């Protein structure tokens, strides 16, 4: 019975949100950030030159045989010379698969690819080359090890 109540509440909430007439309210305060201020994308995906990267195989900066975020940083001049304006990164989150499409934690970077600081550095350095970063956010591919999955099946 409790599951039916929760589901009904969720559906009612979605219905009410969708009936707002297309208007949205502005936030009442500025969002807070704990890390460095990162640049916002200034280009349009539909009219720019995009380059998709499978991080694992693109560029290895530390010689362990696995591509990583710092390897991409090392190749930014090359990518800029190609005319690339946006990099589309395949999933970089922790995952038990090589392709990273079964995400375990959407708030972390897979250790084989680097750290959150490495990711933030990639964004800053890419911006210096006029390149934006797009992340492949695969919400419908959550791992059975992801907290969302675990809580939903409890």
């Amino acid at each position: 019975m409790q599951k039916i109540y929760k589901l009904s509440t969720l559906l009612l909430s979605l219905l009410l949100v969708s009936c707002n007439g297309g208007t949205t309210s502005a936030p009442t305060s500025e969002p807070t950030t704990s890390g460095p201020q990162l640049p916002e994308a200034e280009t349009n995906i539909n009219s720019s030159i995009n380059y998709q990267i499978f991080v694992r195989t693109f560029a290895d900066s530390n010689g362990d045989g696995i591509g990583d975020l710092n390897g991409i940083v090392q190749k930014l001049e090359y990518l800029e010379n190609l005319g690339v304006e946006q990099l589309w990164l395949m999933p970089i989150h922790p995952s038990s698969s090589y392709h990273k499409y079964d995400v375990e934690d959407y708030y972390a970077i897979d250790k084989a690819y680097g750290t959150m600081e490495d990711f933030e550095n990639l964004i800053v350095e890419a911006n210096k080359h006029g390149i934006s970063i797009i992340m492949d956010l695969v919400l419908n591919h959550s791992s059975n090890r992801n907290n969302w999955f675990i809580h939903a099946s409890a």
Side-chain angles (χ1 to χ4, degrees), residues 14 55 138:
L14 290 173
V55 177
V138 288

Side-chain angles (χ1 to χ4, degrees), residues 28-40:
T28 56
S29 64
E30 290 295 316
T32 59
T33 58
S34 59
Q37 288 293 89
L38 301 175
E40 293 197 22

Side-chain angles (χ1 to χ4, degrees), residues 9 19 28 31 50 61 70 78 81 110 129 132 134 137 147:
T9 303
C19 293
T28 56
N50 300 282
S61 70
N70 289 328
Y78 163 76
N81 289 337
D110 192 290
H129 291 272
S132 307
I134 300 172
L137 183 61
N147 282 334

